[in-house]
Short mmCIF file of all heavy atoms in Angstrom, two decimals:
data_model
loop_
_atom_site.label_atom_id
_atom_site.label_comp_id
_atom_site.label_asym_id
_atom_site.label_seq_id
_atom_site.Cartn_x
_atom_site.Cartn_y
_atom_site.Cartn_z
N LEU I 379 -47.75 24.44 -44.95
CA LEU I 379 -48.48 25.23 -43.97
C LEU I 379 -49.83 24.59 -43.72
O LEU I 379 -50.75 24.73 -44.53
CB LEU I 379 -48.62 26.67 -44.46
CG LEU I 379 -47.32 27.33 -44.96
CD1 LEU I 379 -47.58 28.72 -45.50
CD2 LEU I 379 -46.26 27.35 -43.87
N ASN I 380 -49.95 23.89 -42.59
CA ASN I 380 -51.17 23.11 -42.34
C ASN I 380 -51.54 23.13 -40.85
O ASN I 380 -52.05 22.16 -40.32
CB ASN I 380 -50.95 21.66 -42.81
CG ASN I 380 -52.25 20.88 -42.88
OD1 ASN I 380 -53.32 21.43 -43.13
ND2 ASN I 380 -52.16 19.58 -42.68
N SER I 381 -51.30 24.25 -40.19
CA SER I 381 -51.60 24.37 -38.76
C SER I 381 -53.10 24.67 -38.55
O SER I 381 -53.81 25.06 -39.47
CB SER I 381 -50.78 25.49 -38.13
OG SER I 381 -49.40 25.24 -38.27
N THR I 382 -53.53 24.50 -37.30
CA THR I 382 -54.92 24.81 -36.97
C THR I 382 -55.14 26.32 -36.88
O THR I 382 -56.27 26.78 -36.83
CB THR I 382 -55.31 24.15 -35.64
OG1 THR I 382 -54.40 24.56 -34.62
CG2 THR I 382 -55.27 22.64 -35.77
N GLY I 383 -54.08 27.09 -36.84
CA GLY I 383 -54.13 28.55 -36.90
C GLY I 383 -53.01 29.01 -37.81
O GLY I 383 -52.57 28.28 -38.68
N ASN I 384 -52.53 30.22 -37.59
CA ASN I 384 -51.44 30.72 -38.43
C ASN I 384 -50.18 29.88 -38.29
O ASN I 384 -49.68 29.67 -37.19
CB ASN I 384 -51.10 32.17 -38.07
CG ASN I 384 -52.06 33.16 -38.69
OD1 ASN I 384 -52.92 32.80 -39.49
ND2 ASN I 384 -51.91 34.42 -38.34
N SER I 385 -49.66 29.41 -39.42
CA SER I 385 -48.35 28.78 -39.42
C SER I 385 -47.26 29.84 -39.43
O SER I 385 -46.22 29.69 -38.78
CB SER I 385 -48.18 27.88 -40.66
OG SER I 385 -49.00 26.74 -40.60
N ILE I 386 -47.50 30.91 -40.18
CA ILE I 386 -46.56 32.02 -40.32
C ILE I 386 -47.24 33.28 -39.80
O ILE I 386 -48.33 33.62 -40.24
CB ILE I 386 -46.14 32.23 -41.78
CG1 ILE I 386 -45.58 30.94 -42.38
CG2 ILE I 386 -45.13 33.37 -41.89
CD1 ILE I 386 -44.28 30.47 -41.78
N GLY I 387 -46.58 33.96 -38.87
CA GLY I 387 -47.15 35.19 -38.35
C GLY I 387 -46.88 36.35 -39.29
O GLY I 387 -46.55 36.17 -40.47
N ASN I 388 -47.00 37.55 -38.79
CA ASN I 388 -46.81 38.73 -39.62
C ASN I 388 -45.35 39.07 -39.89
O ASN I 388 -45.04 40.07 -40.53
CB ASN I 388 -47.53 39.93 -38.98
CG ASN I 388 -49.03 39.80 -39.05
OD1 ASN I 388 -49.57 39.34 -40.05
ND2 ASN I 388 -49.72 40.18 -37.99
N GLY I 389 -44.43 38.21 -39.40
CA GLY I 389 -43.01 38.41 -39.68
C GLY I 389 -42.65 38.18 -41.12
O GLY I 389 -41.61 38.64 -41.60
N GLY I 390 -43.49 37.45 -41.84
CA GLY I 390 -43.28 37.26 -43.26
C GLY I 390 -42.64 35.94 -43.62
O GLY I 390 -42.09 35.22 -42.79
N LEU I 391 -42.71 35.62 -44.93
CA LEU I 391 -42.19 34.37 -45.48
C LEU I 391 -41.37 34.68 -46.73
O LEU I 391 -41.85 35.35 -47.65
CB LEU I 391 -43.34 33.42 -45.83
CG LEU I 391 -42.98 32.12 -46.57
CD1 LEU I 391 -42.08 31.23 -45.70
CD2 LEU I 391 -44.25 31.37 -46.96
N THR I 392 -40.13 34.20 -46.74
CA THR I 392 -39.26 34.37 -47.91
C THR I 392 -38.91 32.99 -48.47
O THR I 392 -38.43 32.13 -47.73
CB THR I 392 -37.97 35.11 -47.54
OG1 THR I 392 -38.29 36.44 -47.15
CG2 THR I 392 -37.02 35.17 -48.73
N LEU I 393 -39.18 32.80 -49.76
CA LEU I 393 -38.87 31.56 -50.45
C LEU I 393 -37.74 31.82 -51.44
O LEU I 393 -37.92 32.57 -52.40
CB LEU I 393 -40.09 31.02 -51.19
CG LEU I 393 -41.35 30.76 -50.35
CD1 LEU I 393 -42.50 30.30 -51.23
CD2 LEU I 393 -41.08 29.72 -49.27
N ASN I 394 -36.60 31.19 -51.20
CA ASN I 394 -35.45 31.40 -52.06
C ASN I 394 -35.35 30.33 -53.14
O ASN I 394 -36.18 29.42 -53.21
CB ASN I 394 -34.18 31.50 -51.23
CG ASN I 394 -34.10 32.82 -50.48
OD1 ASN I 394 -34.47 33.88 -51.01
ND2 ASN I 394 -33.63 32.79 -49.23
N ALA I 395 -34.33 30.43 -53.98
CA ALA I 395 -34.23 29.67 -55.22
C ALA I 395 -34.45 28.17 -55.02
O ALA I 395 -33.83 27.53 -54.17
CB ALA I 395 -32.87 29.90 -55.86
N GLY I 396 -35.36 27.61 -55.82
CA GLY I 396 -35.60 26.18 -55.84
C GLY I 396 -36.47 25.66 -54.73
O GLY I 396 -36.70 24.45 -54.65
N THR I 397 -37.00 26.52 -53.89
CA THR I 397 -37.82 26.07 -52.77
C THR I 397 -39.30 26.24 -53.08
O THR I 397 -39.67 26.81 -54.11
CB THR I 397 -37.49 26.86 -51.49
OG1 THR I 397 -37.88 28.24 -51.66
CG2 THR I 397 -36.00 26.80 -51.19
N SER I 398 -40.14 25.73 -52.19
CA SER I 398 -41.59 25.90 -52.39
C SER I 398 -42.30 25.97 -51.05
O SER I 398 -41.78 25.51 -50.02
CB SER I 398 -42.17 24.72 -53.21
OG SER I 398 -42.25 23.54 -52.40
N ALA I 399 -43.48 26.56 -51.10
CA ALA I 399 -44.40 26.56 -49.95
C ALA I 399 -45.74 26.07 -50.45
O ALA I 399 -46.15 26.39 -51.57
CB ALA I 399 -44.53 27.95 -49.35
N SER I 400 -46.43 25.28 -49.60
CA SER I 400 -47.72 24.72 -50.00
C SER I 400 -48.72 24.90 -48.86
O SER I 400 -48.38 24.67 -47.69
CB SER I 400 -47.59 23.22 -50.32
OG SER I 400 -46.70 23.01 -51.39
#
Side-chain angles (χ1 to χ4, degrees):
L379 311 177
N380 193 30
S381 301
T382 55
N384 279 354
S385 291
I386 305 294
N388 290 321
L391 173 64
T392 295
L393 303 177
N394 287 321
T397 66
S398 74
S400 300

